[in-house]
Amino acid sequence: MIGRLNHVAIAVPDLDAAAASYRDTLGAKVGAPQDEPDHGVTVIFIELPNTKIELLYPLGDDSPIRGFLDKNPAGGIHHICYEVDDILAARDKLLDTGARVLGSGEPKIGAHGKPVLFLHPKDFQGTLVELEQV
Amino acid sequence: MIGRLNHVAIAVPDLDAAAASYRDTLGAKVGAPQDEPDHGVTVIFIELPNTKIELLYPLGDDSPIRGFLDKNPAGGIHHICYEVDDILAARDKLLDTGARVLGSGEPKIGAHGKPVLFLHPKDFQGTLVELEQV
């Protein structure tokens, strides 16, 4: 069912410092910050040859990553995103196996303009998993 | 400097359950467990079209992931591994920028038989970064 690893998302307490770290220290291709008000984050994409790193910084008072950064003040890996061909078919198959889909269970439009869903970390080895239809 | 994302490593408290979750629930291609006594882990590789997920389970009393699982009993993402062409050149450039290399600073041979180094999470947004020469 799952296909490519679309991205690894890292929540960071200082977006400029994190961008500098990836650009200047690790020598990666770092994009410009993009505000995603619907998701409560400002995002910077780092393009690797085979996938992306997504740096996440809180935007607004209700940012879904604020609690994560309170618990992990230095930052940390927040989630990983796998691609699927058909997100509704994937969701229904997952629900059949007893896995839990977060929120309403209906896909939202993610940072790349594609439908996404999040799966409960307790069902996947403590890892928050995002599925993105590509 | 960094190239492809070689793998994302997830420490898991139950290797069979984690393998079943990726194989049966997420429908991924899951390999056989491999003991890596030099690294204190048993590893299962999950082959995605563009990269790998590495499931890590403690092997032996001195496993380097035992402490991580004590703190994260459900499991969690342990590190991410970026590929580099020349690990000694990468190390020296990192040290010049003030980044900290863990251990002796000399590369070890990793689970894929290639030289690896680990970088301090405090220098990379709370993320343990492995570099692997490919």
Side-chain angles (χ1 to χ4, degrees):
Chain A
M1 182 170 69
I2 58 170
R4 297 173 73 256
L5 178 75
N6 186 275
H7 63 267
V8 178
I10 302 176
V12 303
D14 181 332
L15 198 52
D16 288 342
S21 164
Y22 269 83
R23 187 182 53 234
D24 303 333
T25 308
L26 292 174
K29 187 178 168 192
V30 174
Q34 304 171 29
D35 287 347
E36 302 281 350
D38 289 351
H39 297 275
V41 288
T42 300
V43 176
I44 285 181
F45 288 109
I46 296 162
E47 297 284 344
L48 302 178
N50 61 331
T51 188
K52 293 187 289 279
I53 304 295
E54 185 181 286
L55 301 178
L56 300 177
Y57 183 77
L59 177 67
D61 293 333
D62 298 328
S63 173
I65 63 165
R66 182 92 53 190
F68 181 89
L69 283 171
D70 287 344
K71 279 186 219 153
N72 303 277
I77 299 175
H78 183 262
H79 67 265
I80 48 180
C81 176
Y82 299 123
E83 297 180 356
V84 294
D85 288 333
D86 181 334
I87 202 158
L88 294 178
R91 175 196 66 187
D92 293 345
K93 182 170 180 297
L94 285 160
L95 292 173
D96 279 348
T97 67
R100 287 164 285 182
V101 174
L102 298 185
S104 69
E106 293 307 312
K108 288 189 178 181
I109 298 303
H112 310 101
K114 309 265 179 71
V116 301
L117 280 173
F118 284 88
L119 309 180
H120 200 302
K122 290 205 174 157
D123 296 329
F124 296 96
Q125 298 76 51
T127 301
L128 179 60
V129 172
E130 181 179 16
L131 298 180
E132 178 173 315
Q133 178 172 301
V134 291
Chain B
M1 182 170 67
I2 58 170
R4 296 173 73 257
L5 178 76
N6 186 276
H7 63 267
V8 177
I10 302 176
V12 304
D14 181 331
L15 199 53
D16 288 344
S21 163
Y22 269 84
R23 186 181 54 235
D24 304 333
T25 308
L26 292 176
K29 187 177 169 192
V30 174
Q34 304 172 29
D35 287 346
E36 303 281 349
D38 289 349
H39 296 275
V41 288
T42 300
V43 175
I44 286 181
F45 288 109
I46 296 162
E47 297 283 345
L48 301 179
N50 60 332
T51 189
K52 294 188 288 283
I53 304 295
E54 186 181 286
L55 301 177
L56 300 176
Y57 182 78
L59 176 68
D61 293 333
D62 298 327
S63 173
I65 64 165
R66 182 95 48 193
F68 181 89
L69 283 170
D70 287 345
K71 280 187 221 154
N72 303 276
I77 299 175
H78 183 263
H79 67 263
I80 49 179
C81 176
Y82 299 121
E83 298 179 355
V84 294
D85 288 332
D86 181 334
I87 201 159
L88 294 178
R91 176 198 63 186
D92 292 345
K93 181 170 181 295
L94 285 160
L95 292 174
D96 279 348
T97 67
R100 286 164 286 183
V101 175
L102 298 185
S104 69
E106 292 307 311
K108 289 190 177 179
I109 299 301
H112 309 102
K114 308 267 177 72
V116 302
L117 280 174
F118 284 89
L119 310 180
H120 200 300
K122 289 204 175 160
D123 296 329
F124 295 96
Q125 298 76 51
T127 301
L128 179 60
V129 172
E130 182 180 15
L131 298 182
E132 178 172 314
Q133 179 171 302
V134 292

